Amino acid sequence: MNKSVVILYKYLIHTFQAERKSWHDAYEHITKAVCTIREKLLEEDSKKINDPSLYGESLAFESWEMFLDKMFDNRPNGVSGIGQSIFSDEMRKNARHNHELINILTNLIKDPSKNNHEQFANIWNQVFSKNNPVQTNRATATCTLDVSSTVDVGRFNEVFSWFVDNKYVEPYTGGDDWYSRNIYLVKELRAKIDTAELREGELPDVPVDNYWINIFIWLAYENIANPFSLSKQVIKYGAPGTGKTYNAKKICQIQYSFWKKTYGLESEVEFDEVFNVVQFHPTYSYEDFIEGLRPILKESKSQLTLVNGIFKQLCKEAGKWEADLYNIDPNREFSKWTVEQVKQSRLEKDKEYWKYVLTLDGETKVKDILPPYFIVIDEINRAELSAVFGELMYSLEYRGASNAIKTQYAALNDASTAVLTVNGIGKFFVSHNVYIIGTMNTIDRSVDSFDFALRRRFKWEEVHPDMDLLKLHLDEYNKVWSPIVKSVTALNDKLEQEPLLGKDYRLGHAYFWNLGYNKDLKENDLRKRLWEDKIGPLLEEYLRGSGNNGLINSFKTAFGLK
């Protein structure tokens, strides 16, 4: 058994269990409801999914129309959301009476096989003249737990490849379609995630069932496979209040914890040593970030001394393993070093930071077992980035000790400040285990500080207001307040459509997360308080000096207030 899969499952479910419990319950509810419909269809083979006798107040769904709406809802239906796919009123009307679609949907519910899944995707394309794989995949996922709840093909392929490439599941030789890969991955994970294994270790027991295992696949995509899959430097951008910085910190914590449980049990490296957060501002400089001269008091005299900035010092700590190996053999690629080769080398093995590495399996690649180091740069676009980053522009693209460069103050570097010392010359490089996450609000016009050369060195991830997550949160916190989500959604739609503002001015879910009001407050009273305390003043600030303050009333109406 690959213990790391169990460790990852245990950590992710432990971390997100409370947050995702509502999803688990909704997922279980709709799949069991569809199972009830399946049983009725199998009892009387002549019935179709639109047969009124399948429905009623005491049954899983009240009507065929309700079943159709729930199955293809434009909001999460318990299995997943649908991204940009839209099930319009016209499509819904057409689906209710299209006999061929009804026949094939009936077959899919009775037998969610690959053949029926593909037939349903084909008939969807024929009936609606559009290809909506997220919708058709979600329909199949509602009918069977043997495929996961990750219904977006691109995202599923990304996490599937991650599981396979990292050998967390056995090598795959099947078809490259979404259905076949799903069947394989779900089956493999069920076999590997053993309940006895889950009760071992430091973390508390976590629940395990087919719903949680399928949700685990999404959590692995969202928190492990996706964040750094395309680049080790990422920019999270979007409207204010969407939790960009919070999510960045959480991703770092999860990545570190996964390393610690998998490889670093014998290492003394703690999270605080590998994680740094800094907020950029207009006066932030190269000297603050990379290196600069600072007055240091020595023997009662002030003396200018070279001091590492926060990022260079992080690189020095993160790169010490790679620097050691480079000095042993500069011609050997870092990625090819194994633990056994390190043991056989002339490395000074009494160095404390190497001790845990030398306890691991000899065939393991060193690059895979080093602790990850993180820097989160909040409001990254508020500084003059080209000036702050300096030589980092090169080092971000060409990582590793073999690409080490001299910095502006190279002549002043010594062993205490240099990331790498070669023939007495201090150099700088960014090691392969360094991760950079920048966050920025696109409402801030200083976004222009990103020039094209810098933009292409980062992976860009837009973070949207997550009203589905907010609803799940309010359902748990105070269900009476849940309808406020529709008001916020309507207001955001209005803000997005307003030419003067646009989508960057939408309200993020974090604005409504920690509501300190008395829980006895009624829904409409909450709406009024939110407008007076949070929303109204914020929108007035947005419109200040625009001459369009009259828009406030239209926004207020959209929010559900007169």
Side-chain angles (χ1 to χ4, degrees), residues 430-462:
V430 179
S431 58
H432 293 82
N433 58 331
V434 169
Y435 299 86
I436 305 168
I437 308 179
T439 69
M440 56 184 283
N441 293 326
T442 41
I443 195 175
D444 188 344
R445 298 309 178 192
S446 60
V447 66
D448 295 336
S449 62
F450 266 93
D451 58 34
F452 287 115
L454 195 54
R455 282 177 180 271
R456 67 182 174 82
R457 286 167 166 82
F458 284 83
K459 173 187 175 185
W460 290 73
E461 293 181 355
E462 186 171 9

PDB file of all heavy atoms in Angstrom, residues 430-462:
ATOM      1  N   VAL A 430      17.385  30.520  -7.247  1.00  0.00           N
ATOM      2  CA  VAL A 430      16.118  30.098  -6.649  1.00  0.00           C
ATOM      3  C   VAL A 430      16.032  28.591  -6.801  1.00  0.00           C
ATOM      4  O   VAL A 430      16.028  28.069  -7.927  1.00  0.00           O
ATOM      5  CB  VAL A 430      14.901  30.774  -7.322  1.00  0.00           C
ATOM      6  CG1 VAL A 430      13.598  30.283  -6.691  1.00  0.00           C
ATOM      7  CG2 VAL A 430      15.002  32.291  -7.206  1.00  0.00           C
ATOM      8  N   SER A 431      15.997  27.890  -5.689  1.00  0.00           N
ATOM      9  CA  SER A 431      15.982  26.423  -5.734  1.00  0.00           C
ATOM     10  C   SER A 431      14.621  25.900  -6.173  1.00  0.00           C
ATOM     11  O   SER A 431      13.618  26.629  -6.175  1.00  0.00           O
ATOM     12  CB  SER A 431      16.359  25.850  -4.369  1.00  0.00           C
ATOM     13  OG  SER A 431      15.474  26.313  -3.372  1.00  0.00           O
ATOM     14  N   HIS A 432      14.590  24.620  -6.505  1.00  0.00           N
ATOM     15  CA  HIS A 432      13.381  24.017  -7.056  1.00  0.00           C
ATOM     16  C   HIS A 432      12.276  23.817  -6.019  1.00  0.00           C
ATOM     17  O   HIS A 432      11.139  23.505  -6.382  1.00  0.00           O
ATOM     18  CB  HIS A 432      13.722  22.675  -7.717  1.00  0.00           C
ATOM     19  CG  HIS A 432      14.578  22.810  -8.927  1.00  0.00           C
ATOM     20  ND1 HIS A 432      15.950  22.953  -8.865  1.00  0.00           N
ATOM     21  CD2 HIS A 432      14.262  22.861 -10.256  1.00  0.00           C
ATOM     22  CE1 HIS A 432      16.440  23.054 -10.090  1.00  0.00           C
ATOM     23  NE2 HIS A 432      15.445  23.003 -10.951  1.00  0.00           N
ATOM     24  N   ASN A 433      12.585  23.964  -4.754  1.00  0.00           N
ATOM     25  CA  ASN A 433      11.580  23.755  -3.711  1.00  0.00           C
ATOM     26  C   ASN A 433      11.042  25.058  -3.138  1.00  0.00           C
ATOM     27  O   ASN A 433      10.494  25.092  -2.041  1.00  0.00           O
ATOM     28  CB  ASN A 433      12.152  22.894  -2.577  1.00  0.00           C
ATOM     29  CG  ASN A 433      13.384  23.490  -1.942  1.00  0.00           C
ATOM     30  OD1 ASN A 433      14.129  24.202  -2.593  1.00  0.00           O
ATOM     31  ND2 ASN A 433      13.612  23.198  -0.668  1.00  0.00           N
ATOM     32  N   VAL A 434      11.173  26.160  -3.881  1.00  0.00           N
ATOM     33  CA  VAL A 434      10.651  27.458  -3.465  1.00  0.00           C
ATOM     34  C   VAL A 434       9.381  27.765  -4.247  1.00  0.00           C
ATOM     35  O   VAL A 434       9.349  27.649  -5.478  1.00  0.00           O
ATOM     36  CB  VAL A 434      11.689  28.576  -3.688  1.00  0.00           C
ATOM     37  CG1 VAL A 434      11.060  29.947  -3.505  1.00  0.00           C
ATOM     38  CG2 VAL A 434      12.856  28.408  -2.725  1.00  0.00           C
ATOM     39  N   TYR A 435       8.336  28.171  -3.523  1.00  0.00           N
ATOM     40  CA  TYR A 435       7.039  28.474  -4.131  1.00  0.00           C
ATOM     41  C   TYR A 435       6.650  29.907  -3.790  1.00  0.00           C
ATOM     42  O   TYR A 435       6.775  30.342  -2.644  1.00  0.00           O
ATOM     43  CB  TYR A 435       5.972  27.513  -3.617  1.00  0.00           C
ATOM     44  CG  TYR A 435       6.266  26.067  -3.945  1.00  0.00           C
ATOM     45  CD1 TYR A 435       7.079  25.297  -3.117  1.00  0.00           C
ATOM     46  CD2 TYR A 435       5.753  25.479  -5.085  1.00  0.00           C
ATOM     47  CE1 TYR A 435       7.364  23.971  -3.418  1.00  0.00           C
ATOM     48  CE2 TYR A 435       6.032  24.157  -5.403  1.00  0.00           C
ATOM     49  CZ  TYR A 435       6.837  23.414  -4.557  1.00  0.00           C
ATOM     50  OH  TYR A 435       7.118  22.098  -4.864  1.00  0.00           O
ATOM     51  N   ILE A 436       6.191  30.615  -4.798  1.00  0.00           N
ATOM     52  CA  ILE A 436       5.822  32.021  -4.631  1.00  0.00           C
ATOM     53  C   ILE A 436       4.342  32.176  -4.980  1.00  0.00           C
ATOM     54  O   ILE A 436       3.914  31.786  -6.068  1.00  0.00           O
ATOM     55  CB  ILE A 436       6.653  32.927  -5.551  1.00  0.00           C
ATOM     56  CG1 ILE A 436       8.150  32.689  -5.327  1.00  0.00           C
ATOM     57  CG2 ILE A 436       6.305  34.394  -5.338  1.00  0.00           C
ATOM     58  CD1 ILE A 436       9.021  33.322  -6.391  1.00  0.00           C
ATOM     59  N   ILE A 437       3.572  32.735  -4.060  1.00  0.00           N
ATOM     60  CA  ILE A 437       2.157  33.017  -4.329  1.00  0.00           C
ATOM     61  C   ILE A 437       1.923  34.508  -4.103  1.00  0.00           C
ATOM     62  O   ILE A 437       2.116  35.021  -2.994  1.00  0.00           O
ATOM     63  CB  ILE A 437       1.212  32.230  -3.418  1.00  0.00           C
ATOM     64  CG1 ILE A 437       1.538  30.742  -3.436  1.00  0.00           C
ATOM     65  CG2 ILE A 437      -0.242  32.457  -3.845  1.00  0.00           C
ATOM     66  CD1 ILE A 437       0.643  29.916  -2.534  1.00  0.00           C
ATOM     67  N   GLY A 438       1.558  35.200  -5.147  1.00  0.00           N
ATOM     68  CA  GLY A 438       1.198  36.601  -5.022  1.00  0.00           C
ATOM     69  C   GLY A 438      -0.306  36.756  -5.069  1.00  0.00           C
ATOM     70  O   GLY A 438      -0.999  35.996  -5.740  1.00  0.00           O
ATOM     71  N   THR A 439      -0.833  37.716  -4.341  1.00  0.00           N
ATOM     72  CA  THR A 439      -2.268  37.989  -4.394  1.00  0.00           C
ATOM     73  C   THR A 439      -2.468  39.450  -4.785  1.00  0.00           C
ATOM     74  O   THR A 439      -1.655  40.319  -4.430  1.00  0.00           O
ATOM     75  CB  THR A 439      -2.959  37.733  -3.040  1.00  0.00           C
ATOM     76  OG1 THR A 439      -2.535  38.727  -2.081  1.00  0.00           O
ATOM     77  CG2 THR A 439      -2.623  36.350  -2.522  1.00  0.00           C
ATOM     78  N   MET A 440      -3.515  39.712  -5.511  1.00  0.00           N
ATOM     79  CA  MET A 440      -3.779  41.087  -5.927  1.00  0.00           C
ATOM     80  C   MET A 440      -5.264  41.287  -6.196  1.00  0.00           C
ATOM     81  O   MET A 440      -5.951  40.397  -6.693  1.00  0.00           O
ATOM     82  CB  MET A 440      -2.972  41.443  -7.176  1.00  0.00           C
ATOM     83  CG  MET A 440      -3.190  40.523  -8.363  1.00  0.00           C
ATOM     84  SD  MET A 440      -2.126  40.923  -9.760  1.00  0.00           S
ATOM     85  CE  MET A 440      -2.956  42.358 -10.401  1.00  0.00           C
ATOM     86  N   ASN A 441      -5.757  42.462  -5.809  1.00  0.00           N
ATOM     87  CA  ASN A 441      -7.119  42.861  -6.131  1.00  0.00           C
ATOM     88  C   ASN A 441      -7.101  43.594  -7.459  1.00  0.00           C
ATOM     89  O   ASN A 441      -6.395  44.607  -7.610  1.00  0.00           O
ATOM     90  CB  ASN A 441      -7.674  43.799  -5.045  1.00  0.00           C
ATOM     91  CG  ASN A 441      -7.847  43.093  -3.718  1.00  0.00           C
ATOM     92  OD1 ASN A 441      -8.176  41.914  -3.665  1.00  0.00           O
ATOM     93  ND2 ASN A 441      -7.612  43.809  -2.632  1.00  0.00           N
ATOM     94  N   THR A 442      -7.865  43.101  -8.421  1.00  0.00           N
ATOM     95  CA  THR A 442      -7.856  43.719  -9.748  1.00  0.00           C
ATOM     96  C   THR A 442      -8.551  45.074  -9.744  1.00  0.00           C
ATOM     97  O   THR A 442      -8.450  45.821 -10.719  1.00  0.00           O
ATOM     98  CB  THR A 442      -8.524  42.793 -10.781  1.00  0.00           C
ATOM     99  OG1 THR A 442      -9.692  42.200 -10.199  1.00  0.00           O
ATOM    100  CG2 THR A 442      -7.575  41.680 -11.182  1.00  0.00           C
ATOM    101  N   ILE A 443      -9.219  45.401  -8.673  1.00  0.00           N
ATOM    102  CA  ILE A 443      -9.830  46.717  -8.544  1.00  0.00           C
ATOM    103  C   ILE A 443      -8.763  47.791  -8.401  1.00  0.00           C
ATOM    104  O   ILE A 443      -8.986  48.964  -8.678  1.00  0.00           O
ATOM    105  CB  ILE A 443     -10.778  46.718  -7.316  1.00  0.00           C
ATOM    106  CG1 ILE A 443     -11.702  47.918  -7.358  1.00  0.00           C
ATOM    107  CG2 ILE A 443     -10.000  46.715  -6.014  1.00  0.00           C
ATOM    108  CD1 ILE A 443     -12.734  47.912  -6.261  1.00  0.00           C
ATOM    109  N   ASP A 444      -7.577  47.368  -7.971  1.00  0.00           N
ATOM    110  CA  ASP A 444      -6.457  48.278  -7.762  1.00  0.00           C
ATOM    111  C   ASP A 444      -5.798  48.579  -9.101  1.00  0.00           C
ATOM    112  O   ASP A 444      -5.267  47.690  -9.758  1.00  0.00           O
ATOM    113  CB  ASP A 444      -5.445  47.632  -6.811  1.00  0.00           C
ATOM    114  CG  ASP A 444      -4.338  48.581  -6.390  1.00  0.00           C
ATOM    115  OD1 ASP A 444      -4.183  49.613  -7.060  1.00  0.00           O
ATOM    116  OD2 ASP A 444      -3.652  48.281  -5.407  1.00  0.00           O
ATOM    117  N   ARG A 445      -5.802  49.817  -9.509  1.00  0.00           N
ATOM    118  CA  ARG A 445      -5.288  50.182 -10.835  1.00  0.00           C
ATOM    119  C   ARG A 445      -3.780  49.965 -10.962  1.00  0.00           C
ATOM    120  O   ARG A 445      -3.230  50.025 -12.046  1.00  0.00           O
ATOM    121  CB  ARG A 445      -5.634  51.643 -11.150  1.00  0.00           C
ATOM    122  CG  ARG A 445      -7.138  51.900 -11.191  1.00  0.00           C
ATOM    123  CD  ARG A 445      -7.850  50.914 -12.100  1.00  0.00           C
ATOM    124  NE  ARG A 445      -9.299  51.132 -12.092  1.00  0.00           N
ATOM    125  CZ  ARG A 445     -10.169  50.297 -12.592  1.00  0.00           C
ATOM    126  NH1 ARG A 445      -9.754  49.148 -13.113  1.00  0.00           N
ATOM    127  NH2 ARG A 445     -11.464  50.560 -12.566  1.00  0.00           N
ATOM    128  N   SER A 446      -3.090  49.740  -9.834  1.00  0.00           N
ATOM    129  CA  SER A 446      -1.651  49.497  -9.908  1.00  0.00           C
ATOM    130  C   SER A 446      -1.332  48.131 -10.486  1.00  0.00           C
ATOM    131  O   SER A 446      -0.177  47.724 -10.549  1.00  0.00           O
ATOM    132  CB  SER A 446      -1.007  49.637  -8.529  1.00  0.00           C
ATOM    133  OG  SER A 446      -1.548  48.718  -7.605  1.00  0.00           O
ATOM    134  N   VAL A 447      -2.369  47.405 -10.949  1.00  0.00           N
ATOM    135  CA  VAL A 447      -2.145  46.130 -11.628  1.00  0.00           C
ATOM    136  C   VAL A 447      -1.233  46.320 -12.847  1.00  0.00           C
ATOM    137  O   VAL A 447      -0.567  45.398 -13.294  1.00  0.00           O
ATOM    138  CB  VAL A 447      -3.499  45.515 -12.060  1.00  0.00           C
ATOM    139  CG1 VAL A 447      -4.166  46.377 -13.111  1.00  0.00           C
ATOM    140  CG2 VAL A 447      -3.305  44.115 -12.601  1.00  0.00           C
ATOM    141  N   ASP A 448      -1.176  47.562 -13.360  1.00  0.00           N
ATOM    142  CA  ASP A 448      -0.330  47.837 -14.526  1.00  0.00           C
ATOM    143  C   ASP A 448       1.152  47.696 -14.216  1.00  0.00           C
ATOM    144  O   ASP A 448       1.984  47.717 -15.128  1.00  0.00           O
ATOM    145  CB  ASP A 448      -0.610  49.251 -15.051  1.00  0.00           C
ATOM    146  CG  ASP A 448      -2.028  49.380 -15.591  1.00  0.00           C
ATOM    147  OD1 ASP A 448      -2.588  48.339 -15.968  1.00  0.00           O
ATOM    148  OD2 ASP A 448      -2.565  50.501 -15.623  1.00  0.00           O
ATOM    149  N   SER A 449       1.491  47.560 -12.920  1.00  0.00           N
ATOM    150  CA  SER A 449       2.902  47.410 -12.566  1.00  0.00           C
ATOM    151  C   SER A 449       3.468  46.072 -13.045  1.00  0.00           C
ATOM    152  O   SER A 449       4.678  45.884 -13.065  1.00  0.00           O
ATOM    153  CB  SER A 449       3.086  47.531 -11.048  1.00  0.00           C
ATOM    154  OG  SER A 449       2.390  46.505 -10.362  1.00  0.00           O
ATOM    155  N   PHE A 450       2.607  45.150 -13.447  1.00  0.00           N
ATOM    156  CA  PHE A 450       3.064  43.877 -14.014  1.00  0.00           C
ATOM    157  C   PHE A 450       3.348  44.079 -15.503  1.00  0.00           C
ATOM    158  O   PHE A 450       2.429  44.216 -16.303  1.00  0.00           O
ATOM    159  CB  PHE A 450       1.984  42.804 -13.850  1.00  0.00           C
ATOM    160  CG  PHE A 450       2.151  41.965 -12.622  1.00  0.00           C
ATOM    161  CD1 PHE A 450       1.511  42.319 -11.449  1.00  0.00           C
ATOM    162  CD2 PHE A 450       2.947  40.842 -12.623  1.00  0.00           C
ATOM    163  CE1 PHE A 450       1.659  41.555 -10.311  1.00  0.00           C
ATOM    164  CE2 PHE A 450       3.106  40.073 -11.491  1.00  0.00           C
ATOM    165  CZ  PHE A 450       2.459  40.425 -10.327  1.00  0.00           C
ATOM    166  N   ASP A 451       4.625  44.082 -15.880  1.00  0.00           N
ATOM    167  CA  ASP A 451       4.929  44.157 -17.299  1.00  0.00           C
ATOM    168  C   ASP A 451       4.846  42.752 -17.901  1.00  0.00           C
ATOM    169  O   ASP A 451       4.726  41.760 -17.199  1.00  0.00           O
ATOM    170  CB  ASP A 451       6.290  44.806 -17.553  1.00  0.00           C
ATOM    171  CG  ASP A 451       7.437  44.060 -16.863  1.00  0.00           C
ATOM    172  OD1 ASP A 451       7.365  42.820 -16.755  1.00  0.00           O
ATOM    173  OD2 ASP A 451       8.395  44.723 -16.439  1.00  0.00           O
ATOM    174  N   PHE A 452       4.917  42.673 -19.216  1.00  0.00           N
ATOM    175  CA  PHE A 452       4.720  41.401 -19.895  1.00  0.00           C
ATOM    176  C   PHE A 452       5.796  40.383 -19.539  1.00  0.00           C
ATOM    177  O   PHE A 452       5.529  39.187 -19.425  1.00  0.00           O
ATOM    178  CB  PHE A 452       4.664  41.612 -21.410  1.00  0.00           C
ATOM    179  CG  PHE A 452       3.397  42.262 -21.873  1.00  0.00           C
ATOM    180  CD1 PHE A 452       3.417  43.535 -22.446  1.00  0.00           C
ATOM    181  CD2 PHE A 452       2.172  41.624 -21.730  1.00  0.00           C
ATOM    182  CE1 PHE A 452       2.245  44.143 -22.860  1.00  0.00           C
ATOM    183  CE2 PHE A 452       0.997  42.224 -22.141  1.00  0.00           C
ATOM    184  CZ  PHE A 452       1.028  43.492 -22.710  1.00  0.00           C
ATOM    185  N   ALA A 453       7.031  40.839 -19.361  1.00  0.00           N
ATOM    186  CA  ALA A 453       8.115  39.916 -19.024  1.00  0.00           C
ATOM    187  C   ALA A 453       7.858  39.238 -17.691  1.00  0.00           C
ATOM    188  O   ALA A 453       8.166  38.061 -17.506  1.00  0.00           O
ATOM    189  CB  ALA A 453       9.439  40.679 -18.984  1.00  0.00           C
ATOM    190  N   LEU A 454       7.273  39.987 -16.763  1.00  0.00           N
ATOM    191  CA  LEU A 454       6.987  39.429 -15.446  1.00  0.00           C
ATOM    192  C   LEU A 454       5.727  38.569 -15.478  1.00  0.00           C
ATOM    193  O   LEU A 454       5.662  37.520 -14.837  1.00  0.00           O
ATOM    194  CB  LEU A 454       6.832  40.571 -14.436  1.00  0.00           C
ATOM    195  CG  LEU A 454       6.884  40.209 -12.949  1.00  0.00           C
ATOM    196  CD1 LEU A 454       8.153  39.422 -12.632  1.00  0.00           C
ATOM    197  CD2 LEU A 454       6.828  41.477 -12.111  1.00  0.00           C
ATOM    198  N   ARG A 455       4.750  39.003 -16.249  1.00  0.00           N
ATOM    199  CA  ARG A 455       3.488  38.258 -16.326  1.00  0.00           C
ATOM    200  C   ARG A 455       3.709  36.820 -16.801  1.00  0.00           C
ATOM    201  O   ARG A 455       3.105  35.892 -16.283  1.00  0.00           O
ATOM    202  CB  ARG A 455       2.520  38.953 -17.289  1.00  0.00           C
ATOM    203  CG  ARG A 455       1.824  40.162 -16.698  1.00  0.00           C
ATOM    204  CD  ARG A 455       0.944  40.839 -17.738  1.00  0.00           C
ATOM    205  NE  ARG A 455       0.281  41.998 -17.175  1.00  0.00           N
ATOM    206  CZ  ARG A 455      -0.898  41.967 -16.558  1.00  0.00           C
ATOM    207  NH1 ARG A 455      -1.526  40.815 -16.418  1.00  0.00           N
ATOM    208  NH2 ARG A 455      -1.436  43.057 -16.069  1.00  0.00           N
ATOM    209  N   ARG A 456       4.569  36.644 -17.787  1.00  0.00           N
ATOM    210  CA  ARG A 456       4.725  35.301 -18.358  1.00  0.00           C
ATOM    211  C   ARG A 456       5.470  34.365 -17.421  1.00  0.00           C
ATOM    212  O   ARG A 456       5.527  33.162 -17.657  1.00  0.00           O
ATOM    213  CB  ARG A 456       5.420  35.373 -19.710  1.00  0.00           C
ATOM    214  CG  ARG A 456       6.866  35.815 -19.689  1.00  0.00           C
ATOM    215  CD  ARG A 456       7.431  35.898 -21.103  1.00  0.00           C
ATOM    216  NE  ARG A 456       8.778  36.442 -21.164  1.00  0.00           N
ATOM    217  CZ  ARG A 456       9.867  35.730 -20.941  1.00  0.00           C
ATOM    218  NH1 ARG A 456       9.768  34.449 -20.628  1.00  0.00           N
ATOM    219  NH2 ARG A 456      11.060  36.307 -21.022  1.00  0.00           N
ATOM    220  N   ARG A 457       6.050  34.878 -16.363  1.00  0.00           N
ATOM    221  CA  ARG A 457       6.766  34.033 -15.413  1.00  0.00           C
ATOM    222  C   ARG A 457       5.855  33.490 -14.312  1.00  0.00           C
ATOM    223  O   ARG A 457       6.292  32.728 -13.462  1.00  0.00           O
ATOM    224  CB  ARG A 457       7.933  34.814 -14.803  1.00  0.00           C
ATOM    225  CG  ARG A 457       9.100  34.997 -15.763  1.00  0.00           C
ATOM    226  CD  ARG A 457      10.104  36.027 -15.250  1.00  0.00           C
ATOM    227  NE  ARG A 457      11.369  35.975 -15.985  1.00  0.00           N
ATOM    228  CZ  ARG A 457      11.578  36.558 -17.157  1.00  0.00           C
ATOM    229  NH1 ARG A 457      10.599  37.230 -17.746  1.00  0.00           N
ATOM    230  NH2 ARG A 457      12.751  36.461 -17.751  1.00  0.00           N
ATOM    231  N   PHE A 458       4.608  33.903 -14.322  1.00  0.00           N
ATOM    232  CA  PHE A 458       3.661  33.468 -13.300  1.00  0.00           C
ATOM    233  C   PHE A 458       2.467  32.746 -13.937  1.00  0.00           C
ATOM    234  O   PHE A 458       2.075  33.059 -15.062  1.00  0.00           O
ATOM    235  CB  PHE A 458       3.130  34.664 -12.493  1.00  0.00           C
ATOM    236  CG  PHE A 458       4.111  35.208 -11.497  1.00  0.00           C
ATOM    237  CD1 PHE A 458       5.094  36.107 -11.892  1.00  0.00           C
ATOM    238  CD2 PHE A 458       4.053  34.828 -10.164  1.00  0.00           C
ATOM    239  CE1 PHE A 458       6.007  36.619 -10.978  1.00  0.00           C
ATOM    240  CE2 PHE A 458       4.951  35.329  -9.242  1.00  0.00           C
ATOM    241  CZ  PHE A 458       5.929  36.225  -9.648  1.00  0.00           C
ATOM    242  N   LYS A 459       1.933  31.814 -13.193  1.00  0.00           N
ATOM    243  CA  LYS A 459       0.636  31.233 -13.545  1.00  0.00           C
ATOM    244  C   LYS A 459      -0.432  32.128 -12.917  1.00  0.00           C
ATOM    245  O   LYS A 459      -0.335  32.484 -11.727  1.00  0.00           O
ATOM    246  CB  LYS A 459       0.529  29.810 -12.985  1.00  0.00           C
ATOM    247  CG  LYS A 459      -0.846  29.175 -13.162  1.00  0.00           C
ATOM    248  CD  LYS A 459      -0.924  27.842 -12.440  1.00  0.00           C
ATOM    249  CE  LYS A 459      -2.328  27.265 -12.517  1.00  0.00           C
ATOM    250  NZ  LYS A 459      -2.456  26.023 -11.715  1.00  0.00           N
ATOM    251  N   TRP A 460      -1.443  32.463 -13.691  1.00  0.00           N
ATOM    252  CA  TRP A 460      -2.477  33.392 -13.213  1.00  0.00           C
ATOM    253  C   TRP A 460      -3.767  32.638 -12.923  1.00  0.00           C
ATOM    254  O   TRP A 460      -4.265  31.895 -13.769  1.00  0.00           O
ATOM    255  CB  TRP A 460      -2.715  34.480 -14.260  1.00  0.00           C
ATOM    256  CG  TRP A 460      -1.547  35.412 -14.356  1.00  0.00           C
ATOM    257  CD1 TRP A 460      -0.330  35.143 -14.907  1.00  0.00           C
ATOM    258  CD2 TRP A 460      -1.462  36.739 -13.844  1.00  0.00           C
ATOM    259  NE1 TRP A 460       0.506  36.218 -14.772  1.00  0.00           N
ATOM    260  CE2 TRP A 460      -0.160  37.225 -14.125  1.00  0.00           C
ATOM    261  CE3 TRP A 460      -2.365  37.570 -13.180  1.00  0.00           C
ATOM    262  CZ2 TRP A 460       0.252  38.502 -13.754  1.00  0.00           C
ATOM    263  CZ3 TRP A 460      -1.945  38.852 -12.827  1.00  0.00           C
ATOM    264  CH2 TRP A 460      -0.654  39.300 -13.105  1.00  0.00           C
ATOM    265  N   GLU A 461      -4.280  32.817 -11.725  1.00  0.00           N
ATOM    266  CA  GLU A 461      -5.518  32.149 -11.310  1.00  0.00           C
ATOM    267  C   GLU A 461      -6.512  33.196 -10.822  1.00  0.00           C
ATOM    268  O   GLU A 461      -6.264  33.878  -9.820  1.00  0.00           O
ATOM    269  CB  GLU A 461      -5.254  31.153 -10.188  1.00  0.00           C
ATOM    270  CG  GLU A 461      -4.423  29.952 -10.587  1.00  0.00           C
ATOM    271  CD  GLU A 461      -4.213  28.991  -9.427  1.00  0.00           C
ATOM    272  OE1 GLU A 461      -4.644  29.311  -8.288  1.00  0.00           O
ATOM    273  OE2 GLU A 461      -3.619  27.926  -9.644  1.00  0.00           O
ATOM    274  N   GLU A 462      -7.616  33.329 -11.542  1.00  0.00           N
ATOM    275  CA  GLU A 462      -8.655  34.264 -11.108  1.00  0.00           C
ATOM    276  C   GLU A 462      -9.488  33.620 -10.002  1.00  0.00           C
ATOM    277  O   GLU A 462      -9.885  32.462 -10.100  1.00  0.00           O
ATOM    278  CB  GLU A 462      -9.549  34.671 -12.267  1.00  0.00           C
ATOM    279  CG  GLU A 462     -10.549  35.750 -11.898  1.00  0.00           C
ATOM    280  CD  GLU A 462     -11.293  36.317 -13.084  1.00  0.00           C
ATOM    281  OE1 GLU A 462     -11.164  35.747 -14.196  1.00  0.00           O
ATOM    282  OE2 GLU A 462     -11.990  37.328 -12.909  1.00  0.00           O
TER     283      GLU A 462
END
